[in-house]
Amino acid sequence: MKKTIKFSKAFLPAWILSGVLIVVGLIGLFTKGINFGLDFRAGLIEEVKIAPTVLELSYAGSATVSVETSAAGMDIVITGAGAINRTESFMYAEYPTLGALSAGLNAVPELTAKLLASEGESSSGLFVNSAVSTVLTEKPFKVYGAVKDVGIDEVRAAVQTIDSSITVKEIGSAADRSFQIRMADSGEEGSNKKLSNTISNALKAKFGEDCVAVVKTDFIGSQFSKSLTGQALILVAATLILIWAYATFRFHWDFALGSIVALVHDSLIMISFIVWTQLEFTTTTLAAILAIIGYSINATVVILDRVRTDMKLLDVRSFNGILDTALSETLGRSVITTVTTMFSAISLYIFVTGSIKDFALVLLVGLISGCYSSILISSGLISFIRRNWKPEAGIHHALHPQTDDSHVLKFDAGAQG
């Protein structure tokens, strides 16, 4: 017979440990605060690359000509009155150097390509400034080449001369490095354009007028930010209410309460971790918390289902004895499921960057907390309720219909231990 581990002896120490961790987290919440990302805080998020201008394109014709770049090559899209709609494609495989690419572009009628770098330099990886219209005119249009070897500290020093609260995050590999810059909204009308110009000017002053390209820009208004925060709270609360209703229907009110307390425990542990590490709290982080809520309730339901089964089959006087048996029987499943899921989260944490890396880290903390709470926190609360409030005898009759009232009294009396 499988050895029964006395988990019930660890219920009180586990609750004390969790209480300390949560209190420390709440202290951090009021002293350090949550590092809200732009999703929950009005402001600008801009992704920039520091790279030299290698080509300048201009067009003097009457058609509408625009430029599109990709990892494979460059497309010149020609449309409008007096022109045959067509796309001229210049694949880097066919035009491996900037000299060859420049010659090919100059072959397009009324299009001029001015080379600003060495002819023998590789043409691969060219990109344009997304903050500037890609429609060509007689005014030079800049195309950027390989990124410079610029570190995050240099970029941070350049933009934090504007505002020390601006945050900078490095994205991508060294060969394709970009920097994600976040700046809070000033609340003024048209502040998004002002913020973008302020950041661009600071970077151009540091790295050169022709060496700063905006890859992506997003702006979150204050009204949308507040709405998203409220919706996030409603979403978490609605999830917990629905899970409580399901657990009450499936099991019993004390089992349902234990499940919900375990989920709240996991959420608070993750929030405590986020507060003290000052990880950025974004919609991705919220997704990690919701994922753990779903994962944790699944692990808890498996354990409670075994408890319910053992209540029918085992002749055990103490309810803690039933809990110990059920937890021992499901321990292997709980640990193996958690560890195998952690392998995926660890892989994400090691091999990705940006917000997904933060997602994986929060997920790892939640997986450990979820396994721990399913075993000790949820069961500990149910044990406490059964010792002090004694759920009605009707539940016992439903499980043991042939049992007389005297046995019910014995069972309840045993539950006191």
Side-chain angles (χ1 to χ4, degrees), residues 149-163:
D149 185 17
V150 174
I152 188 172
D153 291 336
E154 295 176 81
V155 176
R156 186 178 288 119
V159 297
Q160 287 189 343
T161 56
I162 308 166
D163 186 343

PDB file of all heavy atoms in Angstrom, residues 149-163:
ATOM      1  N   ASP A 149      26.505  49.369 -33.259  1.00  0.00           N
ATOM      2  CA  ASP A 149      26.806  48.689 -31.993  1.00  0.00           C
ATOM      3  C   ASP A 149      26.612  49.680 -30.845  1.00  0.00           C
ATOM      4  O   ASP A 149      27.561  50.238 -30.300  1.00  0.00           O
ATOM      5  CB  ASP A 149      28.232  48.153 -32.008  1.00  0.00           C
ATOM      6  CG  ASP A 149      28.552  47.329 -30.771  1.00  0.00           C
ATOM      7  OD1 ASP A 149      27.591  46.915 -30.081  1.00  0.00           O
ATOM      8  OD2 ASP A 149      29.748  47.117 -30.484  1.00  0.00           O
ATOM      9  N   VAL A 150      25.336  49.898 -30.527  1.00  0.00           N
ATOM     10  CA  VAL A 150      24.970  50.859 -29.478  1.00  0.00           C
ATOM     11  C   VAL A 150      24.342  50.088 -28.316  1.00  0.00           C
ATOM     12  O   VAL A 150      23.459  49.241 -28.525  1.00  0.00           O
ATOM     13  CB  VAL A 150      23.977  51.909 -30.015  1.00  0.00           C
ATOM     14  CG1 VAL A 150      23.484  52.809 -28.891  1.00  0.00           C
ATOM     15  CG2 VAL A 150      24.640  52.739 -31.113  1.00  0.00           C
ATOM     16  N   GLY A 151      24.783  50.347 -27.109  1.00  0.00           N
ATOM     17  CA  GLY A 151      24.261  49.658 -25.931  1.00  0.00           C
ATOM     18  C   GLY A 151      23.046  50.354 -25.344  1.00  0.00           C
ATOM     19  O   GLY A 151      22.786  51.530 -25.607  1.00  0.00           O
ATOM     20  N   ILE A 152      22.321  49.607 -24.526  1.00  0.00           N
ATOM     21  CA  ILE A 152      21.102  50.153 -23.921  1.00  0.00           C
ATOM     22  C   ILE A 152      21.407  51.307 -22.976  1.00  0.00           C
ATOM     23  O   ILE A 152      20.605  52.249 -22.846  1.00  0.00           O
ATOM     24  CB  ILE A 152      20.316  49.029 -23.188  1.00  0.00           C
ATOM     25  CG1 ILE A 152      18.956  49.553 -22.725  1.00  0.00           C
ATOM     26  CG2 ILE A 152      21.113  48.482 -22.021  1.00  0.00           C
ATOM     27  CD1 ILE A 152      18.058  48.467 -22.175  1.00  0.00           C
ATOM     28  N   ASP A 153      22.576  51.286 -22.335  1.00  0.00           N
ATOM     29  CA  ASP A 153      22.925  52.365 -21.406  1.00  0.00           C
ATOM     30  C   ASP A 153      23.080  53.694 -22.133  1.00  0.00           C
ATOM     31  O   ASP A 153      22.721  54.757 -21.596  1.00  0.00           O
ATOM     32  CB  ASP A 153      24.213  52.015 -20.661  1.00  0.00           C
ATOM     33  CG  ASP A 153      24.025  50.869 -19.678  1.00  0.00           C
ATOM     34  OD1 ASP A 153      22.875  50.666 -19.241  1.00  0.00           O
ATOM     35  OD2 ASP A 153      25.007  50.180 -19.361  1.00  0.00           O
ATOM     36  N   GLU A 154      23.611  53.649 -23.363  1.00  0.00           N
ATOM     37  CA  GLU A 154      23.772  54.871 -24.137  1.00  0.00           C
ATOM     38  C   GLU A 154      22.420  55.463 -24.526  1.00  0.00           C
ATOM     39  O   GLU A 154      22.207  56.676 -24.457  1.00  0.00           O
ATOM     40  CB  GLU A 154      24.591  54.585 -25.400  1.00  0.00           C
ATOM     41  CG  GLU A 154      26.029  54.150 -25.141  1.00  0.00           C
ATOM     42  CD  GLU A 154      26.744  53.798 -26.419  1.00  0.00           C
ATOM     43  OE1 GLU A 154      27.221  54.712 -27.111  1.00  0.00           O
ATOM     44  OE2 GLU A 154      26.815  52.588 -26.741  1.00  0.00           O
ATOM     45  N   VAL A 155      21.493  54.575 -24.938  1.00  0.00           N
ATOM     46  CA  VAL A 155      20.152  55.035 -25.313  1.00  0.00           C
ATOM     47  C   VAL A 155      19.423  55.578 -24.094  1.00  0.00           C
ATOM     48  O   VAL A 155      18.771  56.625 -24.145  1.00  0.00           O
ATOM     49  CB  VAL A 155      19.351  53.893 -25.967  1.00  0.00           C
ATOM     50  CG1 VAL A 155      17.930  54.338 -26.273  1.00  0.00           C
ATOM     51  CG2 VAL A 155      20.034  53.415 -27.229  1.00  0.00           C
ATOM     52  N   ARG A 156      19.542  54.872 -22.987  1.00  0.00           N
ATOM     53  CA  ARG A 156      18.872  55.310 -21.754  1.00  0.00           C
ATOM     54  C   ARG A 156      19.404  56.671 -21.298  1.00  0.00           C
ATOM     55  O   ARG A 156      18.638  57.548 -20.887  1.00  0.00           O
ATOM     56  CB  ARG A 156      19.081  54.252 -20.663  1.00  0.00           C
ATOM     57  CG  ARG A 156      18.306  54.545 -19.391  1.00  0.00           C
ATOM     58  CD  ARG A 156      18.506  53.460 -18.352  1.00  0.00           C
ATOM     59  NE  ARG A 156      17.809  52.229 -18.701  1.00  0.00           N
ATOM     60  CZ  ARG A 156      18.409  51.059 -18.903  1.00  0.00           C
ATOM     61  NH1 ARG A 156      19.725  50.956 -18.806  1.00  0.00           N
ATOM     62  NH2 ARG A 156      17.702  49.994 -19.202  1.00  0.00           N
ATOM     63  N   ALA A 157      20.706  56.847 -21.407  1.00  0.00           N
ATOM     64  CA  ALA A 157      21.294  58.129 -20.995  1.00  0.00           C
ATOM     65  C   ALA A 157      20.804  59.270 -21.877  1.00  0.00           C
ATOM     66  O   ALA A 157      20.586  60.393 -21.398  1.00  0.00           O
ATOM     67  CB  ALA A 157      22.819  58.033 -21.062  1.00  0.00           C
ATOM     68  N   ALA A 158      20.582  58.967 -23.161  1.00  0.00           N
ATOM     69  CA  ALA A 158      20.134  60.007 -24.091  1.00  0.00           C
ATOM     70  C   ALA A 158      18.703  60.452 -23.804  1.00  0.00           C
ATOM     71  O   ALA A 158      18.405  61.646 -23.802  1.00  0.00           O
ATOM     72  CB  ALA A 158      20.246  59.494 -25.529  1.00  0.00           C
ATOM     73  N   VAL A 159      17.803  59.509 -23.539  1.00  0.00           N
ATOM     74  CA  VAL A 159      16.391  59.862 -23.377  1.00  0.00           C
ATOM     75  C   VAL A 159      16.056  60.294 -21.951  1.00  0.00           C
ATOM     76  O   VAL A 159      15.100  61.050 -21.743  1.00  0.00           O
ATOM     77  CB  VAL A 159      15.472  58.705 -23.814  1.00  0.00           C
ATOM     78  CG1 VAL A 159      15.658  58.403 -25.284  1.00  0.00           C
ATOM     79  CG2 VAL A 159      15.713  57.453 -22.971  1.00  0.00           C
ATOM     80  N   GLN A 160      16.814  59.825 -20.984  1.00  0.00           N
ATOM     81  CA  GLN A 160      16.500  60.188 -19.606  1.00  0.00           C
ATOM     82  C   GLN A 160      16.957  61.597 -19.248  1.00  0.00           C
ATOM     83  O   GLN A 160      16.694  62.076 -18.144  1.00  0.00           O
ATOM     84  CB  GLN A 160      17.085  59.155 -18.639  1.00  0.00           C
ATOM     85  CG  GLN A 160      16.329  57.841 -18.665  1.00  0.00           C
ATOM     86  CD  GLN A 160      16.747  56.883 -17.568  1.00  0.00           C
ATOM     87  OE1 GLN A 160      17.801  57.032 -16.957  1.00  0.00           O
ATOM     88  NE2 GLN A 160      15.903  55.894 -17.315  1.00  0.00           N
ATOM     89  N   THR A 161      17.633  62.267 -20.184  1.00  0.00           N
ATOM     90  CA  THR A 161      17.900  63.690 -19.987  1.00  0.00           C
ATOM     91  C   THR A 161      16.600  64.490 -20.110  1.00  0.00           C
ATOM     92  O   THR A 161      16.498  65.603 -19.604  1.00  0.00           O
ATOM     93  CB  THR A 161      18.902  64.194 -21.041  1.00  0.00           C
ATOM     94  OG1 THR A 161      18.393  63.900 -22.355  1.00  0.00           O
ATOM     95  CG2 THR A 161      20.255  63.512 -20.864  1.00  0.00           C
ATOM     96  N   ILE A 162      15.605  63.893 -20.783  1.00  0.00           N
ATOM     97  CA  ILE A 162      14.284  64.529 -20.914  1.00  0.00           C
ATOM     98  C   ILE A 162      13.479  64.315 -19.642  1.00  0.00           C
ATOM     99  O   ILE A 162      12.922  65.238 -19.061  1.00  0.00           O
ATOM    100  CB  ILE A 162      13.508  63.929 -22.100  1.00  0.00           C
ATOM    101  CG1 ILE A 162      14.340  63.951 -23.363  1.00  0.00           C
ATOM    102  CG2 ILE A 162      12.176  64.621 -22.302  1.00  0.00           C
ATOM    103  CD1 ILE A 162      13.781  63.089 -24.477  1.00  0.00           C
ATOM    104  N   ASP A 163      13.421  63.039 -19.221  1.00  0.00           N
ATOM    105  CA  ASP A 163      12.611  62.655 -18.062  1.00  0.00           C
ATOM    106  C   ASP A 163      13.200  61.376 -17.492  1.00  0.00           C
ATOM    107  O   ASP A 163      13.342  60.375 -18.211  1.00  0.00           O
ATOM    108  CB  ASP A 163      11.159  62.437 -18.491  1.00  0.00           C
ATOM    109  CG  ASP A 163      10.222  62.187 -17.311  1.00  0.00           C
ATOM    110  OD1 ASP A 163      10.727  61.865 -16.225  1.00  0.00           O
ATOM    111  OD2 ASP A 163       8.999  62.314 -17.481  1.00  0.00           O
TER     112      ASP A 163
END
